[in-house]
């Protein structure tokens, strides 16, 4: 599964907004991601890789916006894979 840089930015922004508004905790639950055929057909490893990347981008965006570091890490660290 391949996402363009623009798609990644869009999805990570949606995830960050969902975290900020307390509506969403898992990037895999993004409606724009779930309706993609390639997401539905992707294997588990690919899905974990993409979820990790989206969570990392969302974390960085929230920290740049000035949100509390500990709170942001608590919300997203379960989804970030540390290679």
């Amino acid at each position: 599964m391949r996402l363009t840089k623009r798609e990644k930015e869009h999805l990570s922004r949606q995830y960050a907004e969902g975290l900020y508004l307390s509506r969403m905790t898992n990037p895999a639950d993004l409606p724009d991601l779930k309706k993609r055929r390639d997401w539905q057909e992707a294997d588990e490893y690919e899905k974990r890789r993409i979820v990790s990347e989206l969570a990392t981008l969302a974390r960085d965006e929230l920290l740049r916006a000035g949100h509390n570091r500990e709170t942001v890490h608590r919300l997203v660290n379960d989804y970030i894979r540390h290679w």
Side-chain angles (χ1 to χ4, degrees):
M1 176 176 180
R2 308 266 307 149
L3 293 173
T4 64
K5 181 178 179 180
R6 187 180 186 118
E7 289 172 322
K8 289 176 190 175
E9 289 171 352
H10 171 74
L11 290 168
S12 66
R13 200 168 302 117
Q14 278 187 335
Y15 177 54
E17 288 173 8
L19 281 173
Y20 180 71
L21 299 173
S22 301
R23 291 184 309 203
M24 181 177 308
T25 58
N26 188 340
D29 293 336
L30 289 165
D32 286 351
L33 187 60
K34 290 171 77 173
K35 69 182 177 185
R36 292 176 59 111
R37 178 181 296 269
D38 53 352
W39 174 259
Q40 296 166 6
E41 295 172 354
D43 61 26
E44 198 58 38
Y45 174 78
E46 259 186 306
K47 288 182 179 182
R48 283 195 312 266
R49 181 183 58 80
I50 291 168
V51 162
S52 176
E53 193 169 348
L54 294 177
T56 301
L57 291 170
R59 177 197 65 195
D60 295 346
E61 189 170 325
L62 288 169
L63 292 175
R64 274 194 307 273
H67 293 281
N68 182 284
R69 184 177 196 81
E70 289 79 26
T71 303
V72 170
H73 282 269
R74 181 177 45 83
L75 292 171
V76 301
N77 270 355
D78 289 342
Y79 302 106
I80 297 176
R81 292 183 53 113
H82 301 282
W83 309 101

